[in-house]
C-alpha cells in the first residue's frame, strides 16, 4: 500500500516541477520580449538624437543662413527653411524651433555686402531644433549656442574691397559655445 502512495506523490511532485519549469520558461520569454522592445525603442531614440544633431550641423554648416539671415525669415520674422532629406529622414519630421542672433544689431542697409561677414564678427546666435517621430511618439529638442568669429585678416579684406570682389563667406567660422541642451519627450505608447 505504501508503494502506491509514494508513486502518486512522485507523480504530483513531477507535475508541480514541470509547472514551475513552464512558468520560468514563460518568464524568460516575456523578459526577452520586453527587453527587445526596450532596446528597439532605445535605438529609435538614438536615431532621433542623431538626426537632431544632423539638422543642427546642417544649419551650422551653411554660412549663407547667417550672412543672409533676412532672406530665410517668413512674414512673422521666424527663420524658415526646407529641411533636406539627408538631415531628417521620413517618417520623422524636423523643424527649426528657434534661430536668432542674440547680439546682432538691426539690419542696416548701409552695410556693404562685401563686409556682411565682418558685421557678424563675435555675434552670438541661438539655435534650437526639434525632431519628432510619430512611430514611437517622441520629440527631441536640441539647443545650441553659436558664436561667429572672423578669421580673415584686415589686409586681405582691404585687397578684396579695392578689387571689387564680394565678401567671401569663408571669412568667418561658426563655433558652438559652452552651452548645449537636449530634451526628449515620449508619449506613452503600448508595447507591441
Amino acid at each position: 500500500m505504501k508503494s502506491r502512495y509514494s508513486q502518486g506523490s512522485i507523480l504530483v511532485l513531477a507535475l508541480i516541477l514541470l509547472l514551475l519549469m513552464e512558468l520560468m520558461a514563460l518568464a524568460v520569454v516575456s523578459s526577452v520580449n520586453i527587453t527587445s522592445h526596450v532596446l528597439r525603442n532605445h535605438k529609435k531614440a538614438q536615431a532621433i538624437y542623431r538626426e537632431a544633431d544632423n539638422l543642427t550641423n546642417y544649419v551650422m554648416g551653411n554660412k549663407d543662413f547667417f550672412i543672409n539671415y533676412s532672406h530665410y525669415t517668413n512674414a512673422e520674422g521666424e527663420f524658415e527653411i526646407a529641411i533636406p532629406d539627408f538631415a531628417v529622414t521620413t517618417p520623422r519630421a524636423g523643424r527649426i524651433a528657434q534661430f536668432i542672433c542674440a547680439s546682432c544689431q538691426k539690419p542696416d542697409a548701409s552695410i556693404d555686402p562685401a563686409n556682411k561677414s565682418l558685421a557678424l564678427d563675435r555675434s552670438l546666435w541661438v539655435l534650437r531644433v526639434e525632431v519628432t517621430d510619430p512611430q514611437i511618439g517622441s520629440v527631441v529638442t536640441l539647443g545650441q549656442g553659436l558664436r561667429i568669429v572672423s578669421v580673415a585678416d584686415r589686409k586681405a579684406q582691404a585687397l578684396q574691397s579695392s578689387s571689387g570682389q564680394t565678401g567671401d563667406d569663408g571669412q568667418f567660422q561658426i563655433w558652438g559655445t559652452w552651452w548645449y541642451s537636449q530634451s526628449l519627450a515620449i508619449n506613452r505608447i503600448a508595447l507591441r
Side-chain angles (χ1 to χ4, degrees):
M1 200 109 173
K2 222 174 184 187
S3 66
R4 206 180 331 159
Y5 286 124
S6 65
Q7 285 177 350
S9 63
I10 290 175
L11 182 62
V12 170
L13 185 61
L15 288 174
I16 290 173
L17 285 174
L18 283 174
L19 180 64
L20 288 175
M21 288 174 60
E22 183 179 350
L23 289 174
M24 284 186 355
L26 285 174
V28 167
V29 168
S30 178
S31 174
V32 167
N33 191 21
I34 289 172
T35 303
S36 70
H37 282 291
V38 168
L39 288 175
R40 191 174 321 128
N41 283 343
H42 179 72
K43 286 174 76 173
K44 286 183 179 181
Q46 291 301 318
I48 296 170
Y49 276 117
R50 191 171 38 255
E51 290 191 358
D53 279 335
N54 288 347
L55 184 53
T56 300
N57 291 334
Y58 171 71
V59 173
M60 288 176 63
N62 193 336
K63 294 178 183 179
D64 190 52
F65 294 153
F66 297 89
I67 294 173
N68 297 312
Y69 177 78
S70 61
H71 295 211
Y72 297 100
T73 56
N74 60 17
E76 291 82 33
E78 297 172 351
F79 185 80
E80 189 174 88
I81 59 170
I83 306 300
D85 290 338
F86 66 84
V88 179
T89 57
T90 54
R92 296 180 192 99
R95 75 179 190 94
I96 309 295
Q98 180 183 29
F99 183 53
I100 59 169
C101 183
S103 68
C104 292
Q105 299 168 354
K106 295 284 185 197
D108 188 3
S110 66
I111 294 178
D112 182 20
N115 295 325
K116 271 189 180 180
S117 62
L118 287 178
L120 295 173
D121 189 26
R122 304 202 190 285
S123 59
L124 297 173
W125 293 71
V126 177
L127 173 63
R128 237 187 55 213
V129 299
E130 287 182 2
V131 176
T132 59
D133 188 343
Q135 289 181 338
I136 61 172
S138 63
V139 178
V140 169
T141 304
L142 292 183
Q144 175 70 60
L146 304 172
R147 182 180 183 102
I148 296 181
V149 178
S150 176
V151 293
D153 65 341
R154 303 292 178 197
K155 289 181 184 178
Q157 292 168 348
L159 288 174
Q160 283 182 352
S161 296
S162 65
S163 66
Q165 294 177 355
T166 60
D168 180 16
D169 64 355
Q171 294 177 356
F172 65 88
Q173 293 179 344
I174 302 165
W175 297 344
T177 60
W178 59 271
W179 66 270
Y180 176 84
S181 67
Q182 60 184 352
S183 67
L184 172 67
I186 300 177
N187 297 335
R188 301 214 180 250
I189 57 173
L191 293 177
R192 297 173 211 183

